[in-house]
């Protein structure tokens, strides 16, 4: 058991790697854990190296439940509930989705849920091998964790792969409010030192040993969600938890739910381009870990690129079973791992540039029905990221950063093509009765 | 051709195996077919052993169409139409879903549809090899079977596997009213004696020879449905068949359908726990035959367990193509066979206990939008089933058996966590206008 | 480079092969390209044979954007926007879906979009290998092509397979308005002469060399769409493009979209039977190229037949991974190639007759909620097609060709089964309050 002083980084906010400001010597473990800015010293504690292979095998994570409001696309502020590392004082590093948690095969994992929220919650480790009592299903395997209470989810990490964790209390509401994140079990390797909490998912600040062995040069965790803004408005609109309970859990009919906001790592287009791009370079192999934390059956399309499916729900596909396509179906709660091979090889990749990637269910690439929006992000080749933090595109993305666009206040096309001006646009024509009588169609929610 | 006196069991109601009360000698066939209680002597007739291998190869089943009302979860009574074995006198053994039918490869099968209902119907044997005239598509392969008429569907069972049968008249309505069941063709083996009709699906009372050969110790047929209660209310609310025809087939717009009740073997949580549990024991291999008889794209999640996919739509996957995951996509009308390996092996199973299993599309694990509900059932290990017929859970399930819960009349959380009492709960706070103006969201259907 | 005089056929309208009326010598290329009736001489230009293997390797296609109205089922006229070969004078050969385009691996392809419409558009070649600048994503890879402008999409065809092309401007609207078609890259073979534009998709008038080599005797392109008639009514109901822009792109909320018309190759049942049947003969192998150009997750069911999946999204599955089932899941934008083996072999096919094929999501086999409708077509064996161009069915399809049926003006069942007449049908019973109070259900859109 060696004493290491390794650098643990945390991704904060928009996929920026923040160097720790004040390393904390962890006396009983000899690991120096860099502080996560804004988090308490106890948010992540790395314990003993049980198998003597040079990395910590006792991982303790303390999560709170935090209600936050985020601007997911220009002008759209949405209320979320997320699991967040235990905060320090009044600060919080809460971010939607809940952090990507990474542990190693064989680790003794302790995730302590400290319910700092006004509703009961649990954590269900989805897809992992764990004792029944740690399954997080209220009433069935435990009592729900009430406000002010704690519960320690303890298990030894077994089968490596890409998993999921989420609240299992009233899941038709709580999962979609944001109490969901990716859980990765990295294969056991010596000196396997990596960041254990990636806030907001996105680019991995470092690769685990097995990922490097497999030939990857980069890795991303991509968490997709779908939101019904009308549900998320309830806790923003009412103050009394009893009123919120009644409206969210008894009035709101989730069976009639039709989501209208579509998120990748907590953002919708155009913010996705800035906050969660897929940066690549030719010749590199990129590992994409994808979780559909929403309800919709996703069909993920990579423009110009044909990734290879390597894992389903964490389990590797035998090499002969791996296949390549351009639209991958990912159902609710499913995870797939893809191997993306940027380059120009006439089979897997079309060459450098800026390529969009999105669910091909067209309505999901809108923001409340206004296109383009939703979970579109871009695969950006080296040299194609601009100094402004946005990919270098053919024209300009400016109008999509104007909240007026997604409010439907301005025409989606340049008025000049209709030989008119913006000023005259909506006053240039009289509203007339439609031909053939009136008819209705789904109209955007008024603001 | 030997003369056997074998015991044919029938599963009635809640997965209880009922011993036959009055065996009936079947003179021309020499098989003694135990009477299905409530069914006529002609409901199931086993004929000659054509290949001389010790089991009957002429199977005749007489089905009626019966309108029934079932309590699918506490307080929710739903009208269904089902295929049911020909009844005796005024009795009926109708149950939703329609019975699981099992025959053997090579059998000469005769399913006689006796239309005892007020609407026309047919039977489409879905996925089997059969003559075109037996395909059950109205107008295309036959005239629909009108009220009072009969039609005999006759074919020789070919490819073994898990199939489906359902009415093909106005299928957007009739299938979802319950005229759907699982059809299994067992591989041909000597002395292959098994129950031919499993009422309401669920646990198989006996295994076919090939299932035993494959190493299975238990087998379940799991039929999933999704129901729009507003459709099923129509025949409950009107009396004249013409009025029912008009409202169900011309007014009701199935393209705008959003189901709100989700069934496994005809029950929603919590009744599923009692009526259709998956009982297992460590070390045993369990065969799950799963049919999505509804319309939704299901994502079936097994907590703590990773089954292996062995068959799709009845056809075996080559061994090298079988894969293991924790969320299986099952589309409308698709069938999958899973191998579940209860135990504690660090790969396929997490060990003993009570583990829930459900569609992971969260809205489908509600009852009309109130959670928990829908198709949740439990994988219950030996020793974990209580004397009350419910799995031994961490707390209590009592409140879910109270119809008030699913009517939305009581808070879903214990009022004490809000420092209030049930009496004061809804009167303790004044209804106020929401912040930022009014807004609408999908509200549960009023009762 | 030889000088060939080969016959290029075009499928017009309802899968009829039209012999070219006035061949045009293409001076600089020496290929004689038969004229596509109604198209200009420049709509399809075949250039040089670059690799000297006896077929043209420079393919130029000129597409316009045309607004058309089609009767998709009896009485239902729907407005579409389609890509169509450049027209001649006032004629147009526009048809929904946009034409199936076929080119050869290695071809230098030029698809010139001439925007003859009042809105901006682009073409995204979906799934192919092509330069970033040819990806067709507005703002990201190019400026949208404004009304009156042109853009030339140029790329060398690489990986062979079944692909897709569609407008990428406001795709939640434009794709579903009909700006979508199948794009096939045929493997490179000598003397590979085939029709490059198949108007309206459907049966291929000729097979490419590699398809013949693979043992196929027939081939179909099957393009599925789902339509919300309320969206398509907007450009029919308003005249000013600004008003259309506002209503289609800012008012209409595509996230709340629920399609109500379901098309195969631009038609719904019963027109599908006449316009896009799958004609087969026993012993022949038939290649089905299937594109889900709509949004719904399709579950395609072939009655009595079990095709084998050979390709996903254009890429061949290794032979050992190919599987056979009867319900294939096809997500939005996905393509599958199936091998259908008509015959009577007890495994893959049930024998001669008329077998329906359809999405098994029951609501999609209705026309605005009235059954039968939607994308049902029939697999018709040799000898089973009638002289009237409809398959020989068990009874009569006449009533489905009467617009009154899909307006809901006549009962879906023969009134005689209720011991009444059509005259008395709706007047024979008084409208009464339903038992147990009133309730609502999704009602068909009024006409």
């Amino acid at each position: 058991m060696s004493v290491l002083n390794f650098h643990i980084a945390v991704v904060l906010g928009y996929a920026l790697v923040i160097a720790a400001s004040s390393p904390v010597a962890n006396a009983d473990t000899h690991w120096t854990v860099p502080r996560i800015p804004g988090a308490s010293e106890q948010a992540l504690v790395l314990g003993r190296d049980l198998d003597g292979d040079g990395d910590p095998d006792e991982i303790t994570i303390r999560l709170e439940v935090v209600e936050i409001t985020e601007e997911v696309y220009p002008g759209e502020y949405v209320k979320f509930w997320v699991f967040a590392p235990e905060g320090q004082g009044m600060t919080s590093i809460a971010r939607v989705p809940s952090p990507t948690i990474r542990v190693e095969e064989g680790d003794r994992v302790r995730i302590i849920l400290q319910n700092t929220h006004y509703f009961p919650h649990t954590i269900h480790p989805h897809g992992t091998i764990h004792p029944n009592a740690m399954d997080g299903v209220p009433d069935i395997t435990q009592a729900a964790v009430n406000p002010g209470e704690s519960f320690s989810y303890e298990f030894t990490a077994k089968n490596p792969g890409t998993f999921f964790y989420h609240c299992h209390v009233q899941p038709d509401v709580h999962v979609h409010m944001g109490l969901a994140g990716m859980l990765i079990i990295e294969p056991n390797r010596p000196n396997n030192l990596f960041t254990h909490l990636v806030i907001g998912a996105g680019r991995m600040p470092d690769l685990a040993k097995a990922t490097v062995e497999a030939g990857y040069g980069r890795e991303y965790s991509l968490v997709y969600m779908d939101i019904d803004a009308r549900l998320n408005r309830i806790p923003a609109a009412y103050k009394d938890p009893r009123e919120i309970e009644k409206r969210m859990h008894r009035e709101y009919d989730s069976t009639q739910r039709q989501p209208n906001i579509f998120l990748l790592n907590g953002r919708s287009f155009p913010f996705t381009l800035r906050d969660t791009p897929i940066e690549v370079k030719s010749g590199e192999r990129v590992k994409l870990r994808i979780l559909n934390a929403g309800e919709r059956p996703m069909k993920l399309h990579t423009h110009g690129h044909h990734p290879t499916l390597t894992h389903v729900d964490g389990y590797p596909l035998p090499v002969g079973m791996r296949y390549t396509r351009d639209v991958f179906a990912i159902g609710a709660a499913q995870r797939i791992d893809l191997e993306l091979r940027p380059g120009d090889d006439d089979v897997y990749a079309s060459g450098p540039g800026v390529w969009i990637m999105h669910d091909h269910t067209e309505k999901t690439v809108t923001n409340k029905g206004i296109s383009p929006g939703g979970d579109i992000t871009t695969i950006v080749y080296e040299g194609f990221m601009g100094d402004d933090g946005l990919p270098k595109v053919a024209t300009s993305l400016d109008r999509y950063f104007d909240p007026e666009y997604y409010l439907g206040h301005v025409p989606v096309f340049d008025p000049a093509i209709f030989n008119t001006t913006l000023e005259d646009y909506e006053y240039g024509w009289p509203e007339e009765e439609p031909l053939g009588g009136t008819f209705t169609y789904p109209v955007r929610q008024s603001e």
Side-chain angles (χ1 to χ4, degrees), chain A:
Chain A
M1 189 160 51
S2 63
V3 178
L4 285 193
N5 187 327
F6 76 98
H7 193 77
I8 176 165
V10 170
V11 175
L12 261 191
Y14 309 138
L16 301 174
V17 177
I18 305 293
S21 51
S22 49
V24 178
N26 206 317
D28 61 337
T29 64
H30 309 292
W31 301 101
T32 297
V33 185
R35 273 280 287 288
I36 305 172
S40 85
E41 292 180 18
Q42 302 300 312
L44 172 66
V45 178
L46 304 181
R48 289 171 295 172
D49 177 0
L50 298 172
D51 58 5
D53 73 344
D55 52 54
D57 300 321
E58 294 177 322
I59 314 296
T60 300
I61 294 167
R62 283 179 177 77
L63 297 178
E64 301 176 334
V65 177
V66 180
E67 185 167 295
I68 56 173
T69 300
E70 299 218 34
E71 188 183 13
V72 296
Y73 62 80
E76 182 70 27
Y77 293 84
V78 178
K79 186 78 87 180
F80 294 99
W81 303 336
V82 295
F83 297 115
E86 186 185 71
Q88 184 190 27
M90 297 298 285
T91 69
S92 161
I93 52 169
R95 171 90 161 74
V96 63
S98 298
T100 293
I101 295 177
R102 295 161 87 200
V103 297
E104 192 192 28
E105 187 185 4
D107 280 356
R108 293 189 188 169
V109 180
R110 239 184 354 156
I111 300 175
I112 302 171
L113 169 61
Q114 302 175 159
N115 190 354
T116 51
H117 192 241
Y118 47 82
F119 280 170
H121 300 289
T122 64
I123 290 178
H124 166 53
H126 177 121
T128 60
I129 297 288
H130 52 262
N132 191 231
M134 298 294 117
D135 200 40
V137 182
D139 299 322
I140 305 288
T141 67
Q142 68 169 113
V145 184
N146 281 332
E149 295 179 352
S150 287
F151 190 93
S152 180
Y153 294 90
E154 304 186 7
F155 57 93
T156 301
K158 305 279 173 144
N159 51 334
T162 306
F163 302 102
F164 182 19
Y165 71 99
H166 61 82
C167 179
H168 216 292
V169 172
Q170 299 279 320
D172 59 318
V173 168
H174 291 209
V175 171
H176 303 301
M177 286 300 296
L179 293 168
M182 188 183 285
L183 170 60
I184 300 170
I185 300 179
E186 304 284 6
N188 192 9
R189 294 291 185 277
N191 305 307
N192 210 1
L193 303 173
F194 50 79
T195 306
H196 286 76
L197 291 172
V198 182
I199 311 297
R203 183 169 172 189
M204 294 285 159
D206 42 31
L207 302 192
K209 294 288 186 199
T211 306
V212 175
E213 278 168 26
Y216 291 102
R218 235 179 270 225
E219 184 182 357
Y220 289 88
S221 69
L222 305 174
V223 178
Y224 290 87
M225 296 171 60
D226 46 70
I227 295 297
D228 179 357
R230 294 157 290 219
L231 172 67
N232 294 52
R233 271 201 71 178
I234 298 175
Y238 297 97
K239 283 172 290 187
D240 190 318
R242 295 172 297 184
E243 191 155 7
I244 297 173
E245 179 275 326
K246 187 184 180 199
R247 295 188 194 279
M248 294 184 90
H249 293 314
R250 294 187 276 148
E251 276 191 8
Y252 181 85
D253 186 350
S254 58
T255 67
Q256 307 306 302
R257 175 182 191 263
Q258 297 235 82
N260 57 4
I261 294 180
F262 303 91
L263 303 174
L264 166 60
N265 292 343
R267 295 291 180 268
S268 299
F269 176 95
F271 282 171
T272 44
L273 303 194
R274 182 193 69 191
D275 297 351
T276 190
I278 315 282
E279 293 185 81
V280 303
K281 60 182 176 189
S282 292
E284 197 179 49
R285 289 163 66 206
V286 179
K287 184 172 182 66
L288 305 179
R289 294 184 190 261
I290 302 169
L291 161 65
N292 181 355
E295 261 195 5
R296 72 190 195 270
M298 284 187 63
K299 315 296 167 189
L300 186 67
H301 175 46
T302 46
H303 279 232
H305 289 73
H306 304 77
T308 299
L309 180 70
T310 63
H311 296 70
V312 291
D313 291 354
Y315 283 74
L317 289 176
V319 172
M321 270 189 68
R322 298 180 178 186
Y323 59 83
T324 287
R325 66 189 307 178
D326 58 68
V327 182
F328 289 91
I330 317 167
Q334 289 187 325
R335 292 87 58 205
I336 62 172
D337 293 12
L338 297 180
E339 178 185 325
L340 181 69
R341 307 187 207 180
D344 192 358
D345 59 13
D346 291 1
V347 178
Y348 298 107
S350 285
V354 177
W355 301 91
I356 66 173
M357 179 172 98
H358 58 90
D359 186 348
H360 210 289
T361 316
E362 284 85 3
K363 66 180 167 189
T364 73
V365 290
T366 70
N367 292 334
K368 289 188 177 173
I370 290 192
S371 169
D375 60 40
I376 301 170
T377 190
T378 45
I379 300 170
V380 185
Y381 275 68
E382 200 173 31
F384 285 85
M385 184 59 85
D387 294 335
D388 58 356
L390 287 171
K392 296 175 180 168
V393 299
T395 66
S396 164
L397 300 167
D398 285 355
R399 61 187 172 138
Y400 305 125
F401 283 91
D402 176 2
E404 292 291 293
Y405 184 86
Y406 291 109
L407 287 169
H409 293 172
V410 292
V412 300
F413 304 127
D414 178 356
I417 68 171
F418 303 119
N419 300 312
T420 185
T421 62
L422 185 56
E423 289 67 36
D424 292 343
Y425 196 81
E426 292 193 9
Y427 307 100
W429 42 271
E431 294 236 6
E432 286 179 57
E433 278 298 292
L435 301 170
T438 57
F439 63 105
T440 59
Y441 46 85
V443 173
R444 278 194 329 111
Q445 166 188 19
S446 64
E447 304 307 317

